[in-house]
Amino acid sequence: MDAATLIAELEPTVERSLEQHLASAKEWFPHELVPWSRACDYVAGETWDAGQVELDGPVRSALFVNLLTEDNLPYYTSTITSLYGNDGAWGVWLRRWTAEEGRHSIVLRDYVTVTRALDPVALERARMAQVECGQIPRPAGPQNGLVYVALQELATRVAHHNTGKLLVDPAGQEIMKRVAADENRHYLFYRDLADAAFQIDPSGMLLAVEQEVRTFEMPGTGIVDFSHHAKAIARAGIYDFQIHYEKILLPVVLRHWNLEALGGLTPEAERARDSVLERIDRIAQAGRRTEARRSAVLTN
Ligand SMILES: [Fe+2]
Ligand SMILES: [Fe+2]
């Protein structure tokens, strides 16, 4: 199905989901969650000292990647606008979503600055580099876009939630909980749209699921030292294959979208279904191996 037809047919669902999203939204304020009383000025010539705050390396990596990803919002917004346009309910949603995501980078940056959790010089240089390179996943069309954002919002929710669990600081935990709750609402919005798209264009959506599962990357690939941080994040169990399978692919792709039960598919989509199911199975196996290795390290 061509992009314009799908986007037009999804418009009533966008309107309905947007209405629900706005009606159930609870306003919150970054400044109320940030522990300002812990702040102190950097004196002239002072450099950041990691020893000022006790925090494991992987948690610092997660805060760094999560924050820089939120900072890269201009590119997500422009990609989503280029896929779905900026008119009607789609435009209202995209602008609202952009504003909500902006709140995440505000609260995270204020938190890491006040608590000295991250080196502010390295962080600012990395922000400049990240935004200047403007690297984000660019889904091939509207079907791919819906699959990607649904999976990515849920993955981001899980990453924020798991980062929060490893923070000892209750203020940090509360912030990560609040941001994760927003990401969950974004996930539900995009999942609703993807559900409607499956009704309208099941074969197109199945092809998109196959491509997006095959090429899925957590946001942040343009971040300085991304693979080093991603490995640390995986080692700490904040986000890895096992979590990707258990928290994303199994509940959303296999159970919610229930690929195996989809009917009326083209032969190409049938092949894509076989291929994606096989791939998910391989990801599950990789996840079990990762889990076994982690348990072995912990017991030794
Ligand atoms: Fe966000
Ligand atoms: Fe989000």
Side-chain angles (χ1 to χ4, degrees), residues 70 73 93 97 100-101 104 149 152-154 156-157 160 179 182-187 190:
E70 303 281 359
L73 200 60
W93 161 257
W97 174 84
E100 290 186 10
E101 295 288 3
H104 300 166
V149 286
Q152 184 262 314
E153 289 283 3
L154 183 57
T156 308
R157 177 209 172 210
H160 285 311
V179 174
D182 274 6
E183 309 298 14
N184 195 50
R185 289 167 50 73
H186 297 161
Y187 154 64
Y190 288 125

Side-chain angles (χ1 to χ4, degrees), residues 190-245:
Y190 288 125
R191 195 193 68 182
D192 279 355
L193 256 59
D195 292 354
F198 266 109
Q199 300 283 326
I200 298 165
D201 181 21
S203 291
M205 284 298 283
L206 198 37
L207 293 174
V209 169
E210 191 281 320
Q211 286 167 11
E212 295 306 317
V213 169
R214 174 160 43 86
T215 58
F216 186 84
E217 281 183 314
M218 278 299 272
T221 49
I223 290 172
V224 175
D225 291 335
F226 179 71
S227 71
H228 156 79
H229 293 297
K231 278 181 199 143
I233 288 166
R235 261 198 323 274
I238 294 171
Y239 205 90
D240 61 12
F241 275 129
Q242 172 79 352
I243 291 167
H244 188 56
Y245 172 71

Side-chain angles (χ1 to χ4, degrees), residues 15-227:
E15 275 172 27
R16 210 172 35 248
S17 300
L18 174 64
E19 229 168 78
Q20 280 167 7
H21 180 85
L22 295 175
S24 60
K26 287 195 184 71
E27 194 179 27
W28 62 272
F29 298 96
H31 77 276
E32 292 179 348
L33 300 176
V34 176
W36 300 101
S37 60
R38 288 190 224 160
C40 58
D41 293 351
Y42 278 89
V43 297
E46 179 184 358
T47 51
W48 178 78
D49 171 6
Q52 285 175 321
V53 56
E54 217 177 292
L55 204 54
D56 287 345
V59 182
R60 283 191 215 268
S61 284
L63 286 171
F64 185 78
V65 168
N66 293 0
L67 172 50
L68 289 172
T69 302
E70 303 281 359
D71 281 334
N72 216 16
L73 200 60
Y75 298 101
Y76 287 91
T77 300
S78 82
T79 297
I80 297 179
T81 306
S82 72
L83 285 173
Y84 304 101
N86 208 9
D87 303 321
W90 284 101
V92 176
W93 161 257
L94 289 176
R95 291 187 293 275
R96 169 77 192 199
W97 174 84
T98 302
E100 290 186 10
E101 295 288 3
R103 195 180 277 164
H104 300 166
S105 56
I106 292 168
V107 76
L108 289 173
R109 175 159 285 93
D110 286 348
Y111 175 73
V112 300
T113 305
V114 159
T115 59
R116 300 196 172 204
L118 298 178
D119 178 349
V121 173
L123 179 64
E124 179 57 9
R125 286 181 180 153
R127 188 191 68 80
M128 289 296 291
Q130 160 81 341
V131 178
E132 281 184 87
C133 88
Q135 190 181 318
I136 60 161
R138 295 184 192 279
Q143 290 91 339
N144 290 65
L146 290 178
V147 173
Y148 177 73
V149 286
L151 301 181
Q152 184 262 314
E153 289 283 3
L154 183 57
T156 308
R157 177 209 172 210
V158 169
H160 285 311
H161 177 79
N162 288 348
T163 305
K165 281 200 305 194
L166 293 177
L167 282 171
V168 195
D169 175 19
Q173 289 173 348
E174 186 54 36
I175 286 170
M176 301 317 285
K177 231 195 304 184
R178 200 69 68 96
V179 174
D182 274 6
E183 309 298 14
N184 195 50
R185 289 167 50 73
H186 297 161
Y187 154 64
L188 291 173
F189 182 92
Y190 288 125
R191 195 193 68 182
D192 279 355
L193 256 59
D195 292 354
F198 266 109
Q199 300 283 326
I200 298 165
D201 181 21
S203 291
M205 284 298 283
L206 198 37
L207 293 174
V209 169
E210 191 281 320
Q211 286 167 11
E212 295 306 317
V213 169
R214 174 160 43 86
T215 58
F216 186 84
E217 281 183 314
M218 278 299 272
T221 49
I223 290 172
V224 175
D225 291 335
F226 179 71
S227 71

